[in-house]
Amino acid sequence: MLDRTQIPAGSIKPDADSALLVIDVQNSFLPGGSLAVKDGDRVVPVINRIARGFANVVLTQDWHTADHVSFAASHDGKKPFETVDLEYGKQVLWPDHCVQGTEGADLSKELAIPQAALIIRKGFRKEIDSYSAFTEADGKTTTGLAAYLKAREVKRLFLAGLATDFCVAWSALDARKAGFETCVIEDACRGIDTQGSLATAWADMTKAGVKRIQSGDIVV
Ligand code: VGL
Ligand code: ZN
């Protein structure tokens, strides 16, 4: 049985209908950051290399208030990686991260994608998180990204960044819901992997028709 390796290396050529979405490559998620993703910095050279093949690039930035509902510190007696039930569903609680205007929220200085045309900030309202670049955690408030991409006649999305099992996966699932062909570039992402989240995310993405590719599959 063939698996994703059936896509020959170097066989995908980004075209005018393609866009690269670079998710949350921010200091808080990089080594030394408050919610450091293991080997998170390793995605940066991979992303910089493939980005050269894309005319359309959108960056995202997790952008929380200092007292954000997704922070464990905002809930008495709760610790990071525990969960709470909120109006919009189950919320994993995190260490404070990506606070608006702080260094942790800055994009990595090592990212080299000068042609990036748009930065989408998300999770900027105190009461509601947004892992997804498309729709906030209430499942209905839009960031406007799908409409932007459709207005630009983008049909095919490639996702890279942090973290595979949260903001990348939720963005990829919403991209499918919005009707985009969606590829996640596995080696251009790293996961947090709490309570089985990485395996669950890949299972959900596969079921939704998200393609799992490697950076070497892309012609740049
Ligand atoms: C993320 C946890 C909390 C992410 C953002 O970028 O994947 N994860 N906020
Ligand atoms: Zn966050």
Side-chain angles (χ1 to χ4, degrees):
M1 200 42 206
L2 292 172
D3 58 11
R4 62 177 167 69
T5 57
Q6 72 189 285
I7 300 169
S11 70
I12 301 172
K13 178 92 187 117
D15 55 20
D17 298 349
S18 304
L20 178 65
L21 279 190
V22 179
I23 304 291
D24 298 1
V25 183
Q26 294 168 263
N27 294 328
S28 285
F29 300 121
L30 295 169
S34 59
L35 181 43
V37 179
K38 187 169 183 289
D39 294 332
D41 54 332
R42 304 257 295 264
V43 305
V44 175
V46 181
I47 291 171
N48 287 344
R49 190 182 69 78
I50 54 180
R52 288 193 264 118
F54 287 85
N56 303 311
V57 181
V58 174
L59 310 176
T60 70
Q61 213 173 6
D62 214 33
W63 195 251
H64 298 315
T65 57
D67 54 355
H68 197 254
V69 70
S70 74
F71 295 173
S74 304
H75 302 266
D76 279 340
K78 288 288 186 180
K79 292 200 227 24
F81 306 100
E82 295 179 354
T83 59
V84 282
D85 291 311
L86 299 179
E87 243 166 70
Y88 57 77
K90 194 167 109 170
Q91 172 73 52
V92 181
L93 297 174
W94 306 105
D96 291 14
H97 64 279
C98 300
V99 173
Q100 296 166 6
T102 66
E103 199 201 331
D106 287 346
L107 295 167
S108 167
K109 282 201 299 291
E110 310 295 319
L111 271 185
I113 319 178
Q115 78 276 29
L118 177 69
I119 300 175
I120 287 276
R121 288 175 169 169
K122 59 186 181 61
F124 49 77
R125 268 186 277 274
K126 168 186 149 87
E127 325 74 38
I128 181 163
D129 206 1
S130 188
Y131 295 143
S132 169
F134 293 92
T135 309
E136 296 186 17
D138 61 0
K140 50 178 193 258
T141 307
T142 180
T143 65
L145 180 57
Y148 168 88
L149 292 168
K150 285 177 183 176
R152 304 285 302 269
E153 299 185 346
V154 170
K155 308 258 181 313
R156 191 157 64 141
L157 291 180
F158 294 80
L159 281 79
L162 305 170
T164 320
D165 39 350
F166 289 93
C167 292
V168 174
W170 287 53
S171 298
L173 293 170
D174 279 349
R176 290 293 300 142
K177 282 189 199 146
F180 296 100
E181 183 185 338
T182 308
C183 304
V184 169
I185 311 164
E186 186 172 16
D187 61 321
C189 303
R190 288 294 184 282
I192 294 173
D193 203 10
T194 175
Q195 297 163 28
S197 55
L198 191 58
T200 303
W202 278 119
D204 292 347
M205 288 193 282
T206 302
K207 195 167 148 209
V210 174
K211 298 191 179 91
R212 181 175 186 166
I213 67 167
Q214 308 299 314
S215 62
D217 299 330
I218 300 172
V219 182
V220 292

